[in-house]
Structures are given as C-alpha cells and as structure tokens.
C-alpha cells in the first residue's frame, strides 16, 4: 500500500505518473532497508528486463529525494539512496 500512497501524493501535487516512476517506487518499497546507488538500481532493473535509462533513474531519484520519499547519503565517490520510511511526506 505504501507505493500507492506515494503515487497518490504525486498525483495530488501535479506530477505525471509514468511507468518509470511506478517501477522505481515499487523497487524501493520492496527494499525498505536497502541503500543503493543509482547504478545498482539500473543494474537490477536491467536484470528484470525493465526498460529504463540511467538518466531517467537519476532524475527521478533526485525528485524523490526532493519530495522526501528517499534519503540520499553521499561520500567522496558515491551517492546512495534509501526509502525514507520514518519521515514519509505522504500525510494528507
């Protein structure tokens, strides 16, 4: 149900609900404790035959961080993303 709450939030705030956004939300909602780089997300999606570009993944990861859906942790070489289950912005 969490994925649908995020989709509802996006709709209510004027964002288009693309298949790529659905795939990314589903991916992170099913991996609530995972902390992954954009490349790891792409690699997994390629293994499951999902057609999605690196640019699309990165753009949407940035949007989801901005909206508070995801956390972003950055070190000298890598950004990693994880689902923000504590401070979910999806409060109506």
């Amino acid at each position: 149900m969490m994925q649908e709450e995020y989709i509802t939030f996006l709709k209510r705030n004027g964002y288009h609900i693309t298949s790529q956004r659905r795939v990314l939300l589903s991916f992170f909602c099913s991996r609530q404790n995972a902390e992954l780089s954009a490349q790891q997300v792409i690699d997994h999606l390629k293994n499951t035959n999902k057609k999605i570009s690196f640019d699309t993944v990165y753009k949407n990861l940035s949007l989801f961080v901005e909206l508070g859906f995801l956390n972003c942790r950055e070190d000298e070489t890598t950004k990693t993303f994880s689902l923000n289950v504590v401070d979910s912005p999806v409060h109506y």
Side-chain angles (χ1 to χ4, degrees):
M1 184 68 176
M2 186 182 298
Q3 178 183 350
E4 287 306 314
E5 292 172 348
Y6 288 122
I7 290 170
T8 299
F9 180 88
L10 290 169
K11 285 179 183 177
R12 287 187 177 172
N13 288 281
Y15 293 94
H16 294 279
I17 309 305
T18 64
S19 60
Q20 294 90 347
R21 287 182 179 161
R22 284 183 185 273
V23 165
L24 284 171
L25 287 171
S26 175
F27 179 81
F28 277 98
C29 287
S30 67
R31 291 162 184 78
Q32 292 187 15
N33 297 318
E35 190 171 309
L36 303 162
S37 69
Q39 188 61 54
Q40 288 172 310
V41 173
I42 276 288
D43 290 345
H44 175 78
L45 295 177
K46 283 183 181 177
N47 288 335
T48 58
N49 296 321
K50 304 290 184 194
K51 305 256 186 219
I52 190 168
S53 73
F54 184 84
D55 289 341
T56 298
V57 168
Y58 204 81
K59 179 177 75 171
N60 282 290
L61 290 174
S62 296
L63 172 65
F64 293 163
V65 168
E66 181 182 320
L67 294 174
F69 294 1
L70 299 177
N71 295 313
C72 178
R73 191 171 64 101
E74 196 170 350
D75 63 23
E76 299 84 35
T77 59
T78 307
K79 281 186 180 182
T80 56
F81 302 89
S82 60
L83 191 65
N84 183 0
V85 293
V86 177
D87 297 322
S88 172
V90 186
H91 300 289
Y92 303 101

